[in-house]
Amino acid sequence: MTNPLTDPRFANNRSLIASICCAAVCGIVFGLSMPLVSLRLEGMTSSGLIVGLNGAAAAFSTLVMAPIVPRLLSLVPGRVLIVVSLLCAGALHALFPVFETVPAWFVLRFVMGSFMTVVFVVSETWINQIATPMRRATILGVYGTVLSGGFGVGAFLFGQLGTSGDAGFYAGGLIFLIGALPIILLQGPAAQAPGKDEASPTAILNAARLAPAAIGAALAFGALETVLFSMAPVYGDRLLLSDAGISMVAMAAAAGALAFQIPLGWIADKTDRREALKWIATTAAITPLAIWAVGDYLPGMMLLFFIQAGVASGLYTVGLALVGERFSGGAIAAANAAFIFAYGTGSLFGPPASGIAMDGLGPHGLMIVMAMIAAIYAALVWVRAAPTDADS
């Protein structure tokens, strides 16, 4: 009887499961810690500005850390990098109630975000290197679905643990520690280290230049995802929806992010990834206008938010698969760093832009911004996918 934990035939599967476990761990802790830290900060400061800036510290850590990860991966084995990053992030998460001051929480949020960026870049590089080309987008769809599902699990844990005590902080730290076990125990092919030239900042810039459609997908998704999930409650409130209605819209969006990623990945694998990105981006540009049209009609809002969140999630899945298609070996590390950097950029600047639009144009300014973000990216991929462009 074969043992799947040691049989060489299952080595690739073990590595894939280990890397996908990284998404589960990060998703759970994100879903738990985001409301936990925000609400505790609100109680400490009564300042929405401080809460928002603390969230931006996590996004900023992505921009700082992502370009450094390929160099780290060229010096330290990928498994070691992930395990050390998970252990450090776990320790930092447990330190929030120990150092309960606003400056300390900014430092902790930034440094913890830096370690989580290492986990994302290395794990996604790892998947892209060992996934078979014919199934790459589908496997990444599983990765994205697990990440989204982790958010839901984390949100459920937050609901159970609440903010009155410190259990949520210690639980998040423990989840990070447990997340290191699959990386240690499930042995298989390791992430291929980039060479010196492949790990340089120039290589990261070149990746963005050589594959703008792939890297641009992360930029668009980062902006759309954070705008959707951070500003949709405000949108519902300004349309005078009840708290229950706002919650139902948020749940519909979360369900869309869960439901669409694997099917869109499968379609991209069976057809053409650039072609899939064209239609994903086009749909993501049209749907916000439809949301605007239905106004405060709750069933219509729920259906369209379900579609918008689901379709937008395909930008990340298929864009990341396109990275694996365009690059190979150690070069994927630099391309994936560019991908994560682009995601961080979008997530940093998307919410302020939508907030300004909502203040100036009313609630539907949010839909205008979302439509514009997706439309600009759609224009890029339609041009890059044109038959006359050999470097699409």
Side-chain angles (χ1 to χ4, degrees):
M1 183 176 179
T2 60
N3 185 346
L5 293 178
T6 58
D7 194 318
R9 291 175 297 174
F10 300 111
N12 268 22
N13 289 341
R14 289 194 295 270
S15 289
L16 286 172
I17 292 170
S19 56
I20 289 171
C21 284
C22 294
V25 170
C26 291
I28 293 170
V29 178
F30 268 136
L32 170 63
S33 68
M34 287 171 64
L36 177 60
V37 172
S38 295
L39 291 175
R40 287 286 286 266
L41 266 178
E42 172 70 14
M44 290 161 59
T45 66
S46 299
S47 170
L49 176 61
I50 294 296
V51 174
L53 289 175
N54 187 264
F60 186 63
S61 70
T62 301
L63 302 184
V64 172
M65 198 66 195
I68 302 172
V69 179
R71 176 63 68 191
L72 291 176
L73 188 56
S74 71
L75 300 172
V76 182
R79 284 181 186 271
V80 175
L81 269 181
I82 292 176
V83 169
V84 169
S85 296
L86 288 172
L87 296 179
C88 291
L92 290 165
H93 201 277
L95 286 177
F96 276 88
V98 177
F99 300 101
E100 199 162 359
T101 66
V102 172
W105 279 28
F106 271 84
V107 174
L108 289 170
R109 196 81 181 267
F110 177 85
V111 180
M112 190 176 77
S114 298
F115 283 116
M116 295 182 76
T117 299
V118 174
V119 174
F120 275 114
V121 174
V122 177
S123 63
E124 291 174 2
T125 298
W126 196 7
I127 294 174
N128 253 329
Q129 288 175 343
I130 62 178
T132 57
M134 297 302 295
R135 295 193 305 146
R136 180 176 284 123
T138 304
I139 291 170
L140 287 166
V142 173
Y143 172 87
T145 301
V146 169
L147 178 61
S148 297
F151 273 102
V153 173
F156 173 79
L157 287 176
F158 169 74
Q160 300 304 305
L161 298 173
T163 61
S164 58
D166 298 331
F169 294 107
Y170 300 130
L174 180 61
I175 290 166
F176 273 129
L177 301 185
I178 294 172
L181 293 178
I183 311 302
I184 297 169
L185 298 176
L186 298 177
Q187 293 299 307
Q192 183 177 337
K196 183 177 179 180
D197 291 340
E198 293 172 327
S200 67
T202 302
I204 296 172
L205 292 173
N206 283 339
R209 179 180 61 83
L210 293 171
I215 305 305
L219 180 67
F221 174 74
L224 288 172
E225 180 195 43
T226 51
V227 164
L228 183 64
F229 286 102
S230 65
M231 302 304 293
V234 180
Y235 178 76
D237 183 65
R238 293 191 181 184
L239 290 182
L240 304 180
L241 292 184
S242 66
D243 289 346
I246 294 171
S247 176
M248 291 173 70
V249 169
M251 287 191 295
L258 274 172
F260 275 64
Q261 295 192 59
I262 294 175
L264 288 176
W266 183 84
I267 291 169
D269 280 338
K270 297 298 181 182
T271 55
D272 178 86
R273 288 161 191 152
R274 296 172 184 81
E275 195 72 17
L277 281 173
K278 284 166 51 176
W279 293 106
I280 288 170
T282 301
T283 304
I286 294 171
T287 307
L289 303 180
I291 296 174
W292 183 356
V294 302
D296 61 358
Y297 178 60
L298 187 59
M301 289 181 67
M302 291 176 63
L303 174 62
L304 291 168
F305 269 96
F306 174 82
I307 294 171
Q308 178 66 10
V311 169
S313 70
L315 292 172
Y316 195 90
T317 298
V318 181
L320 192 55
L322 191 56
V323 167
E325 179 182 315
R326 292 299 311 274
F327 301 90
S328 61
I332 292 179
N336 210 97
F339 193 85
I340 295 295
F341 184 90
Y343 169 83
T345 302
S347 66
L348 185 62
F349 293 106
S354 61
I356 291 170
M358 291 178 74
D359 288 343
L361 303 173
H364 298 298
L366 174 64
M367 298 303 133
I368 294 172
V369 169
M370 290 175 62
M372 288 180 61
I373 291 168
I376 292 170
Y377 177 67
L380 169 67
V381 290
W382 276 88
V383 170
R384 298 293 298 179
T388 54
D389 193 341
D391 190 38
S392 60

